[in-house]
Each structure stands twice: as structure tokens, then as C-alpha cells.
Amino acid sequence: MKKPIILTVDDDAQVLAAITRDLRQEFRKDYRILSVNSGPEALATLTELRARADEPLALVLADQRMPEVEGVEVLTRARELFPEAKRVLLTAYADTTAAIKAINSAQLDYYLLKPWDPPEQLLYPTLHDLLNSWQASYRPAFAGLRLIGFQWSPLSHELKDFLSGYMVGYQWLDYEKDAEAKVLLEANGFKADDLPVVICPDSKAVARPDKLDLARHLGLLVDAQQELYDVVVVGAGPAGLAAAVYGASEGLKTLIIERQTPGGQAGSSSRIENYLGFPTGLSGAELAHRAWTQATRLGAEFMAPQEVVSMCIQDGYKVLTLTDNKEIKARAVVLTTGVSYRTLNAPGLDRLSGAGVYYGAARTEARSCSQQPVYVIGGGNSAGQAAMYLSTYASQVFIVIRGDSLTASMSAYLIEQIAQTPNITILPRTQVREACGQYALEAVVIQQEGHEPEKHPARALFIFIGAKPSTEWVCDLAICDPKGYLLTGRDLVADPRYKQAWKKDREPYLLETCVPGMFAAGDGRAGAMARVASAVGEGSMAIKFVHQYLDE
């Protein structure tokens, strides 16, 4: 595989020479730098690169003011041909308004003001971040771990989701379409009945692997390293990751346990654009991976995929039992178990789950929807972000909502982006009545209020509806509201029904459950705000109360 390419275009010869010089000085070791001096030449170069399978495009930098073809048009075309490539607009101060508008219209990743001197401060840090992000999501034509399976296999989908959640680079080979898949399968002594098969970089091949065994082989921590922890965080969504970062950074022996992949519901978001400090947005998986890396660098242990199935109190210590019956002891616990999407009740959905019907998982399955129609159910930000991401691949994206519009449940910036995307259609006052297909989803039956049901072809159905707290395993120990959300702080003592459950002389801390030393943060807590920033805030606050509890 040849080096990934950084393409820069500017009609000003001096500026082009300067940006090319700076790029080569910093990035030539790992990237090939291409420079062109006009918009039409840039479009021709993009088309030529698309025809070559062995030259990936990592980054495009285009000047805005060019004759014939402006920079935004070049970046828009780059997005069509190379959806994963990062796009940066070079602009003068007077054109910043156009650059900001381009963030939505061309899905711009960043804009840089000219001049960028010194590049060590004004150019390189931004480009390093963008290229690191591209490297994290880019799948080379051949490298590392391979996954062979059937496109419509639920187990294949689970493994793809698992690997993507931990940002493990892998090559997906469809047994029915890729000739290489059959060759590799036979070479490793397997048959079609053994699928899915994982072939690791060390050539070890495993049929229908258990996630725990696969995690061990990938070097993930699946067993606790300490006999006693100061704090155990259950759940690695934004709240749990924040708690792990602050707990480890403040010297607490910290363990975080996640049953699936880091990020929780936020981790499945294809693009989060309203999180503080990221003006052009980032994916939920990127945010989770950065936080996970930060927590482990500071000393937190990260166990996954492991699930806590019960907890009891022994002499003041919290004893957590895992699915494999192993026990972990902690002085304090922070529950950040979050919520999961509610399942939709309609004929065919359960049967085709993982075979065209998906809860979340838009990033995992988007590529398989190329030039085919897909449906998204839900009117929240997660649904909107998924629709925008899918629109890059699918021929048409239909957003199905029960209400009249998206204004009551979706952020304004997303509504604006959706309105500007020609292949996204909103279906108001509509419900999905049935999913059709023998082995995989082939069509959906939808019904608009006041009309007869209609059947339409569909490659995939992505469901983002409601939220169900993942607290069933702890409700016999902690007090939950009727919907299953954990009650904390003043909610425990203000309501006469729960007041007797609190046994200590002091009032419970703000995020403390009815069990002293057991705290709840994030979406699984009653009264929490379903936002990434608030979850991060609660996770970090929980560690402050852990300190107060441990100092008693």
C-alpha cells in the first residue's frame, strides 16, 4: 500500500509553494504531498485518485477564492469521492463567513486563516488532529485483522460493531461477494458453516469467536489486576469515562467496567457537533476513544467486554459479581450504566435484527448501504446524525417520525443540515408497520396518519427511539423510580416513600444512591439531562463525592 495522500490546491503560486513546503516538512515521512494550482485540476486529480485502489486520500486543503472552481466546490467533490477524507478550507479573514457556512453545506472539517505563520502553532496541531482522526477510522485495503462472514448474519454484525467500537482496524470480507474470502476460509481449514471467522494479524484464525476470547487476543484487559479498588465505575459512556479520568488523575485506584464498547449511546453517534471545544464536530467513537486513552494513560484500568450482573455490600465494601462469577471489591462505586434504545414492536423486526434491522450502528453498516434506500426511525439528535452520515452512502434516506416535525426533539443545526441534504426525506406522522424479507430486510411497510399502509424497498432500517435505563441488575439494591432510573441525593429524602431507605445521619450527597458510597451519574440517573456535556459533568462531579465519602 502506497502512502496516503495529502492534496492541496491554490491558484496563488506563492501560497501554494508555501503550504506545500510546510506540509512536506512535517508530514512527508508518512504521507505523499500533492499540489495543484487550480480548481479544475484539483477535480481531475480527485477523479484520477478515485480510480486507483492503492492510493488513499487522507486530507484535502483548498483555497476558497479561486477562478472557475472555488474551494468549497472542490471540498464538496472530495466528500463525494472520498467520504472519509478530511476537508480543510484555506481562507482569508474576510471570507470567514463563507467558511462557517461551508461547515454545514460541504461538511467541512476545519477552516484555516491565511497566513498560518508560524505553522508549528497555527497549522500543524490542527492537521495532526485531523490526520489522527482519519487514521483511526480508515480501513486499508489489506492490513491487520480480517473478518469473514455473511452480510446478513447477526453474529457478523455484532463482531463488526464490537471491533468498530474499540477502533480496531479490520478488513470485512463478504463470503458471498469476495473471492478472497473463500480462499482464506479454505486455507485455514474452515467451511461456510463456521462463519463468521476472525483471522488475527498473527495468522491465528477463530470461528464464531466469543467476544471475551477475542478481547483477550486483541490485548484488552478482561481480568481485574487489584484485590481492592478505591472506586469502580460501571459503564463506559461519557459519564463513566469522565469519572475514570478524574478518579485516576486524582490518585484513586480506579477500575472501569464496560459490557459492550466504550461510548455508550453517544459512541454510536456518527457526528456530535454541539460538544464544547469541537467546532466542526467529531464522532462519538472518536470522543470515546480519546477519553478511554486519556483514562488509561492516567492509570485507570479498563475491563471489557465484561458485565456486572449483581452487587452486594459486605462490611461496607461493594462486591461486584461478573458474568463469569468473578468478584471485584471496591470501597466506592459509580454507576454510569446509561440507557439503551427501546425495541420497536412490529412484525419482522425481531426476526431481521442484525440482518438489515439495526438499533444504532449507522457507522458500522453505512458502507453496505451504498446507492440503496434506507430508513431511520426517530426524531432525536442520534437519528439526525445517523441520517446525515448515511446520506453520504445511501441513494435516499427517509426519516420516520410520529410527530409533525423535528423541531421539538432535534437540535436546530441538525435540522438545518438535513434540510440542505437533497437525498434526505422526512416522513412526518408516519410509523413502520412491518419489516419484510426472508433472510434479510428487503422492504418496509409504512403508514402515514390517515392513509393506507404502503410497502417500499429498503436496504436497512436504523432505529433510534426512546431510552431504557440499564439498571435492572441493581434495582433490588438501589431505589429506582417507576421507569427504572436511579434516585439520588435530595430525591431520596424529599419523598416520604423513600426517606426510610437512607440510614446515615447526614443527607446523601447530590449523586449518591440510597446505598452510601454508591453513586449514579449520566443518563441512567433520575432527572439527568440527556446530553454528552452534562453526562461528562456528572461523571467528574461523582468523583468529588467519592472523595468525601472515602474521607468519612
Side-chain angles (χ1 to χ4, degrees):
M1 177 62 67
K2 297 180 181 179
K3 289 182 180 180
I5 289 172
I6 296 176
L7 174 65
T8 181
V9 52
D10 199 307
D11 66 315
D12 187 315
Q14 289 185 335
V15 175
L16 184 62
I19 188 68
T20 303
R21 178 199 64 221
D22 290 342
L23 290 172
R24 285 178 176 162
Q25 179 176 319
E26 184 72 6
F27 300 105
R28 64 184 175 185
K29 180 180 177 181
D30 300 311
Y31 297 88
R32 185 159 73 96
I33 313 301
L34 290 182
S35 58
V36 295
N37 59 11
S38 71
E41 187 179 356
L43 295 179
T45 301
L46 288 169
T47 302
E48 182 181 349
L49 290 174
R50 179 70 279 176
R52 304 178 193 169
D54 60 343
E55 292 191 279
L57 181 67
L59 174 69
V60 183
L61 298 99
D63 180 59
Q64 169 59 6
R65 289 196 178 185
M66 295 187 294
E68 298 182 78
V69 179
E70 291 187 334
V72 170
E73 187 175 343
V74 171
L75 296 178
T76 300
R77 182 58 176 163
R79 177 176 175 246
E80 294 170 357
L81 296 177
F82 298 91
E84 305 297 338
K86 299 301 179 182
R87 298 169 296 279
V88 176
L89 191 68
L90 297 173
T91 182
Y93 182 79
D95 293 326
T96 53
T97 300
I100 292 172
K101 288 182 179 179
I103 290 176
N104 286 340
S105 62
Q107 293 296 288
L108 192 67
D109 290 295
Y110 215 90
Y111 68 88
L112 290 171
L113 295 177
K114 298 184 292 185
W116 54 85
D117 187 62
E120 291 80 5
Q121 296 179 18
L122 301 179
L123 179 67
Y124 297 154
T126 297
L127 297 190
H128 273 299
D129 276 350
L130 291 172
L131 289 169
N132 287 340
S133 174
W134 178 82
Q135 289 281 7
S137 60
Y138 171 65
R139 298 176 184 174
F142 169 70
L145 184 145
R146 294 173 173 182
L147 174 60
I148 305 171
F150 293 108
Q151 178 61 51
W152 305 114
S153 161
L155 183 53
S156 293
H157 166 69
E158 287 181 21
L159 290 174
K160 284 192 285 185
D161 224 22
F162 175 78
L163 294 170
S164 299
Y166 286 98
M167 287 195 160
V168 176
Y170 70 94
Q171 181 186 30
W172 163 248
L173 295 171
D174 189 335
Y175 181 79
E176 296 177 314
K177 294 181 179 179
D178 298 311
E180 186 183 2
K182 295 180 175 63
V183 174
L184 286 171
L185 207 62
E186 292 176 4
N188 285 278
F190 293 114
K191 300 178 180 179
D193 292 342
D194 300 317
L195 293 175
V197 168
V198 171
I199 302 176
C200 299
D202 61 2
S203 298
K204 179 181 179 181
V206 184
R208 304 177 71 85
D210 175 83
K211 288 183 192 175
L212 207 58
D213 291 336
L214 182 57
R216 284 193 180 94
H217 199 79
L218 293 173
L220 298 176
L221 181 67
V222 296
D223 296 303
Q225 305 298 297
Q226 307 283 339
E227 292 186 3
L228 175 66
Y229 292 90
D230 294 320
V231 59
V232 170
V233 182
V234 184
L241 291 167
V245 166
Y246 279 87
S249 68
E250 293 173 13
L252 297 177
K253 289 183 180 179
T254 305
L255 173 68
I256 183 168
I257 304 174
E258 170 56 43
R259 64 179 179 175
Q260 294 176 336
T261 54
Q265 268 197 354
S268 66
S269 294
S270 51
R271 194 174 182 88
I272 301 172
E273 297 190 63
N274 57 356
Y275 187 63
L276 185 67
F278 295 88
T280 58
L282 77 170
S283 73
E286 289 177 79
L287 180 62
H289 192 263
R290 291 185 186 204
W292 172 24
T293 303
Q294 186 178 16
T296 52
R297 180 181 65 84
L298 292 169
E301 292 180 23
F302 190 102
M303 277 180 61
Q306 283 280 23
E307 183 175 1
V308 179
V309 294
S310 66
M311 181 166 58
C312 64
I313 311 300
Q314 293 180 1
D315 300 324
Y317 294 107
K318 286 72 180 168
V319 180
L320 298 90
T321 303
L322 307 179
T323 48
D324 57 7
N325 292 321
K326 292 181 180 178
E327 293 184 344
I328 295 172
K329 186 178 291 187
R331 299 170 66 197
V333 169
V334 180
L335 301 176
T336 56
T337 51
V339 296
S340 57
Y341 291 114
R342 292 188 182 277
T343 57
L344 189 64
N345 185 21
L349 291 179
D350 286 344
R351 182 172 55 83
L352 296 175
S353 180
V357 175
Y358 307 106
Y359 290 87
R363 288 181 64 87
T364 305
E365 298 296 339
R367 291 176 181 273
S368 66
C369 301
S370 179
Q371 299 306 308
Q372 298 183 66
V374 301
Y375 285 74
V376 175
I377 302 179
N381 280 5
S382 294
Q385 291 156 357
M388 288 299 301
Y389 186 74
L390 290 164
S391 68
T392 306
Y393 301 92
S395 60
Q396 191 73 30
V397 180
F398 298 94
I399 301 178
V400 180
I401 57 174
R402 290 188 177 188
D404 293 330
S405 70
L406 297 171
T407 54
S409 55
M410 190 178 292
S411 296
Y413 77 90
L414 266 176
I415 296 175
E416 180 182 350
Q417 289 181 12
I418 288 170
Q420 294 175 357
T421 307
N423 64 333
I424 297 181
T425 302
I426 301 171
L427 303 177
R429 300 182 300 281
T430 303
Q431 296 184 52
V432 171
R433 296 300 187 188
E434 185 179 356
C436 307
Q438 186 174 1
Y439 301 109
L441 183 71
E442 298 173 1
V444 293
V445 176
I446 61 173
Q447 182 176 19
Q448 189 173 33
E449 187 178 307
H451 295 76
E452 291 296 316
E454 297 179 350
K455 187 175 182 179
H456 297 275
R459 161 59 184 81
L461 175 65
F462 298 91
I463 302 171
F464 299 86
I465 58 168
K468 181 179 67 174
S470 303
T471 56
E472 51 283 325
W473 61 275
V474 77
C475 281
D476 60 341
L477 184 63
I479 295 176
C480 299
D481 70 8
K483 294 183 178 180
Y485 292 90
L486 290 159
L487 294 173
T488 59
R490 290 291 302 169
D491 288 343
L492 291 170
V493 294
D495 193 321
R497 294 175 297 174
Y498 310 127
K499 192 171 184 179
Q500 297 302 317
W502 181 253
K503 304 299 183 184
K504 292 186 76 73
D505 293 335
R506 64 168 175 82
E507 283 197 356
Y509 297 123
L510 181 62
L511 300 179
E512 196 167 22
T513 68
C514 66
V515 179
M518 187 170 78
F519 303 87
D523 291 355
R525 187 183 70 83
M529 182 182 294
R531 291 289 184 271
V532 174
S534 61
V536 169
E538 287 194 6
S540 57
M541 285 171 56
I543 297 302
K544 172 192 173 183
F545 299 128
V546 167
H547 278 295
Q548 292 179 343
Y549 168 76
L550 295 179
D551 290 341
E552 290 179 355

